[in-house]
Amino acid sequence: MQLSLSTWQEVDAYLERSTGIIIPIGSTEQHGPNGLIGTDAICPTRIAAGIEEKTDVLIAPTINYGMAQHHMAFAGTVTLKPSTLISLVCDVIESLQQHGFSHFYFINGHGGNIPALGTAFCELYHAASRSRSSSPRCRLANWWRNDHITALARELYGEAEGHHATVSEVALSYFAHPQAVKNVAMNPEIAPDGEIYDAIDFRRKFPDGRIGSNPALATVADGERFYQLAVEALSADYQAFITGATQ
Ligand code: NI
């Protein structure tokens, strides 16, 4: 069940059954020569849709923008300020909480969002503790940080999986949008690896936008395998999380 395709009466009825909601969050940022700029939002959106197919759960609209300052030297990237993202996440949770939602399960597609999401949750817990009210229950699920996902990526690609524009995320985005697959030769085959600080630093060290990866290996078929693993793992994790709603 998707929030954007529901009526308010349907949401009222859902709240009688459950007070949990899944919120996909990503980023709009470059993903190398063959990766889609929407990759980080496309992957959690598709995974959430897969969970929805097998679970009675409400899916909120995807938060498509995130923390992407380090990609700003590449055309098409859009970044929020950390303070904007923290405020956005707090406003979304507080709005839904007012209607009776209690458990907020974020499926995240972008590592750069993790500090701001954690801070947003802390802001809400802090406000609740100071006012002696009940805080929302928030969980952050970073889909790619899962033992089954990393094991499959290692098995399929070894070192070529990399750290940005990874083969697994490009593959999953291709599974979600096979009409958008790009065939691009990579040079060098595997991109350099290392630390990043800001946009200029990133572009100088990683001129085509990849970090440590060879996403030319990404296929729709592999993407489906990552998708299925992620849906299975996150469905179970969501169920465990939402069980806390009755405790
Ligand atoms: Ni990404």
Side-chain angles (χ1 to χ4, degrees), residues 30-35 165 174 182-187 208-210 215:
Q30 71 83 18
H31 270 76
N34 73 337
Y174 282 0
K182 326 272 183 196
N183 292 305
V184 181
M186 299 291 157
N187 184 23
D208 72 3
R210 300 174 291 150

Side-chain angles (χ1 to χ4, degrees), residues 155-228:
E155 175 197 324
L156 292 173
Y157 317 123
E159 287 296 296
E161 163 70 351
H163 294 105
H164 179 68
T166 62
V167 193
S168 58
E169 65 175 340
V170 172
L172 209 160
S173 74
Y174 282 0
F175 166 67
H177 293 283
Q179 77 286 1
V181 170
K182 326 272 183 196
N183 292 305
V184 181
M186 299 291 157
N187 184 23
E189 210 167 79
I190 297 180
D193 217 327
E195 292 285 308
I196 46 162
Y197 295 94
D198 55 33
I200 294 171
D201 180 55
F202 189 118
R203 178 101 191 210
R204 190 179 64 244
K205 289 177 181 163
F206 312 109
D208 72 3
R210 300 174 291 150
I211 303 180
S213 65
N214 178 13
L217 300 171
T219 64
V220 171
D222 284 359
E224 185 169 11
R225 294 180 69 184
F226 288 112
Y227 161 77
Q228 280 167 349

Side-chain angles (χ1 to χ4, degrees), residues 68-92:
Q69 56 81 14
H70 46 293
H71 296 292
M72 283 301 292
F74 297 88
T77 297
V78 174
T79 187
L80 302 180
K81 296 184 190 72
S83 56
T84 308
L85 182 55
I86 293 164
S87 295
L88 173 65
V89 168
C90 288
D91 286 355
V92 169

Side-chain angles (χ1 to χ4, degrees), residues 78-201:
V78 174
T79 187
L80 302 180
K81 296 184 190 72
S83 56
T84 308
L85 182 55
I86 293 164
S87 295
L88 173 65
V89 168
C90 288
D91 286 355
V92 169
I93 292 173
E94 287 181 321
S95 299
L96 292 166
Q97 202 181 7
Q98 191 173 323
H99 303 306
F101 290 93
S102 63
H103 282 59
F104 301 86
Y105 190 84
F106 286 79
I107 302 181
N108 179 37
H110 176 51
N113 290 340
I114 295 172
L117 282 163
T119 304
F121 300 165
C122 283
E123 289 281 356
L124 296 168
Y125 299 155
H126 178 268
S129 295
R130 291 297 302 273
S131 64
R132 297 182 181 228
S133 56
S134 182
S135 73
R137 301 293 190 256
C138 305
R139 184 174 290 187
L140 177 58
N142 301 300
W143 73 263
W144 72 98
R145 286 192 182 173
N146 170 276
D147 289 347
H148 299 290
I149 300 279
T150 52
L152 179 60
R154 200 177 314 116
E155 175 197 324
L156 292 173
Y157 317 123
E159 287 296 296
E161 163 70 351
H163 294 105
H164 179 68
T166 62
V167 193
S168 58
E169 65 175 340
V170 172
L172 209 160
S173 74
Y174 282 0
F175 166 67
H177 293 283
Q179 77 286 1
V181 170
K182 326 272 183 196
N183 292 305
V184 181
M186 299 291 157
N187 184 23
E189 210 167 79
I190 297 180
D193 217 327
E195 292 285 308
I196 46 162
Y197 295 94
D198 55 33
I200 294 171
D201 180 55

